[in-house]
Amino acid sequence: MKDKIVLITGANSGIGKAAALKFATEGYRVIMACRNMEISQAAHKEIIQASNNTNVHLMKVDVSSFDSIRTFCSEVEAQFPRVDILIHNAAYLNHGEKEYKLSPEHIELSFATNVFGPCLMTHLLADHLEKSQDPRILNACTTNIKNFFDPKRKIEFDNLRGEFKATRRYSAYKMYGDSKMAFLILTFQMAEQLKSRGIKVNALQINRVKLSKDTINKMNSFWKVLAMAQNITNPLPSGMADIYYSICTSDEFRDVTGQLINHKREIVQPSASEQGFAQFKNIFGSGTYPQYALDRDNADIIWHLSNELVYLAGP
Ligand SMILES: NC(=O)c1ccc[n+]([C@@H]2O[C@H](COP(=O)([O-])OP(=O)(O)OC[C@H]3O[C@@H](n4cnc5c(N)ncnc54)[C@H](OP(=O)(O)O)[C@@H]3O)[C@@H](O)[C@H]2O)c1
């Protein structure tokens, strides 16, 4: 049994569940951080049985709610001596959703779940991570950010509380992409901020993985059909879970921080928006990400917003 503790958000389904099983099978102590206890209990039991590891703990958290995150982090601190690995896997993407949805703190739900919630959790658990010999954080990113190779694409920073809901049509897909780009920008900044404390922070550019039945059932009928068709050829979540495991445990990534890593375990490089074949290669390849993620102004805005919304929201 390894005496290492891994915390995975959204561990009841898809890649998160497969990752919880992988770490449990390898003998880690696993904290499954899930919002729906009823659904998650079945996954929890399944993982204990399949891994033969009873050190798998199911804990409740809604990562879109600051109050829930605060309660959860206090419980983690009380029950565990430290956290060695933190994987921000949970995400909100409700394909086909047409209405703006806001979190309890009135933040657009994709941004609350995919950016500011994980940011608060990182902030609150930083002391506990620092107690580890080799603390690592992994943020789930997506190839959707390649839409930012379009020079016209921008994060709607002015609409993160649904300020323009009367005049701007809601696109769950676009808001998801904006939130994941914002999270990548924050990954680079968190890595800088946490470097002196020995905490490594990277993001994984996930390309395509089979979606669970529950996730597909939340979609409208058009997206449901599309997702079921894509599921025929998409790889199983266990492959991506192995990559989570490799980035979070292997010597190869021990000193790597502030990087976007792809599904082939390669460091992804920034690239400017280009025209023609070069742009085509950037969009369909897995070796580059848009320079937009390194723009200083974007970094300042997102850092300022996260401080305002998360850190200054108080204990
Ligand atoms: N699958 C892909 O092809 C793909 C591609 C690119 C990126 N990704 C990224 O990979 C990660 C995992 O995706 P997946 O495909 O495995 O999706 P999934 O099966 O739908 O899992 C998402 C998980 O997030 C949880 N979650 C959502 N909102 C939450 C909240 N407010 N609080 C706590 N948990 C919450 C869900 O819980 P419930 O069960 O309670 O809803 C679920 O456990 C995500 O970050 C996603 O953006 C996936």
Side-chain angles (χ1 to χ4, degrees):
M1 180 74 66
K2 290 184 186 66
D3 187 29
K4 280 213 164 191
I5 302 164
V6 56
L7 191 168
I8 307 170
T9 64
N12 59 291
S13 162
I15 307 168
K17 180 180 170 190
L21 176 60
K22 172 72 182 171
F23 278 95
T25 305
E26 297 291 338
Y28 281 72
R29 290 167 78 180
V30 180
I31 304 169
M32 297 173 63
C34 304
R35 66 172 159 183
N36 185 328
M37 290 297 102
E38 233 172 84
I39 300 175
S40 305
Q41 265 155 11
H44 180 223
K45 269 192 198 144
E46 210 184 297
I47 289 168
I48 290 178
Q49 271 169 11
S51 64
N52 207 16
N53 179 348
T54 50
N55 243 320
V56 180
H57 309 266
L58 177 61
M59 294 180 72
K60 187 175 169 65
V61 65
D62 175 347
V63 296
S64 72
S65 156
F66 292 171
D67 277 352
S68 172
I69 291 170
R70 285 196 190 95
T71 306
F72 168 77
C73 290
S74 308
E75 286 168 2
V76 168
E77 279 178 340
Q79 290 178 35
F80 297 89
R82 63 179 184 282
V83 171
D84 295 285
I85 299 164
L86 169 59
I87 304 181
H88 290 301
N89 164 80
Y92 173 73
L93 168 58
N94 213 356
H95 277 297
E97 178 64 65
K98 296 265 190 292
E99 300 288 325
Y100 281 81
K101 293 238 159 48
L102 301 184
S103 72
E105 283 81 16
H106 307 287
I107 300 168
E108 190 283 323
L109 202 51
S110 326
F111 269 82
T113 312
N114 307 348
V115 186
F116 298 118
C119 186
L120 176 62
M121 193 184 286
T122 303
H123 173 65
L124 294 177
L125 291 178
D127 287 349
H128 232 40
L129 279 153
E130 206 178 353
K131 293 174 191 154
S132 170
Q133 298 282 313
D134 178 19
R136 305 192 198 187
I137 300 176
L138 184 62
N139 297 333
C141 190
T142 166
T143 46
N144 183 313
I145 60 156
K146 284 161 186 269
N147 286 305
F148 286 82
F149 278 120
D150 174 357
K152 292 197 287 298
R153 178 68 182 260
K154 309 259 181 289
I155 296 176
E156 287 181 54
F157 285 119
D158 58 352
N159 199 17
L160 299 190
R161 290 179 179 270
E163 290 91 330
F164 289 93
K165 66 178 170 200
T167 50
R168 288 188 205 162
R169 192 179 66 82
Y170 183 76
S171 160
Y173 185 69
K174 176 171 185 301
M175 213 44 121
Y176 170 78
D178 281 10
S179 70
K180 290 289 188 177
M181 174 51 89
F183 199 31
L184 178 61
I185 297 170
L186 270 178
T187 300
F188 298 145
Q189 292 194 312
M190 282 179 193
E192 276 305 310
Q193 291 284 322
L194 295 173
K195 203 177 248 172
S196 60
R197 303 173 72 177
I199 303 171
K200 278 102 9 153
V201 191
N202 293 296
L204 173 62
Q205 178 173 274
I206 298 170
N207 51 348
R208 54 191 190 91
V209 169
K210 266 189 213 310
L211 292 172
S212 73
K213 267 196 205 128
D214 287 344
T215 300
I216 293 179
N217 283 339
K218 287 177 202 154
M219 300 174 182
N220 71 17
S221 41
F222 169 79
W223 284 101
K224 227 178 239 174
V225 173
L226 197 70
M228 285 192 293
Q230 285 180 337
N231 256 8
I232 297 169
T233 54
N234 280 354
L236 289 167
S238 54
M240 203 54 69
D242 287 349
I243 295 168
Y244 279 18
Y245 184 80
S246 165
I247 295 171
C248 294
T249 66
S250 71
D251 279 347
E252 185 189 348
F253 291 101
R254 178 178 275 272
D255 298 317
V256 175
T257 192
Q259 299 292 344
L260 177 65
I261 299 159
N262 69 18
H263 63 287
K264 299 178 207 160
R265 297 179 175 83
E266 299 161 340
I267 306 283
V268 185
Q269 303 295 337
S271 175
S273 299
E274 292 178 82
Q275 294 299 313
F277 184 67
Q279 188 182 31
F280 185 82
K281 245 177 78 185
N282 273 340
I283 292 169
F284 290 98
S286 57
T288 55
Y289 66 81
Q291 199 98 41
Y292 185 91
L294 299 180
D295 183 278
R296 205 53 255 165
D297 290 343
N298 290 330
D300 286 347
I301 295 172
I302 196 73
W303 191 246
H304 174 75
L305 272 170
S306 63
N307 277 293
E308 188 183 50
L309 293 171
V310 172
Y311 301 151
L312 300 183

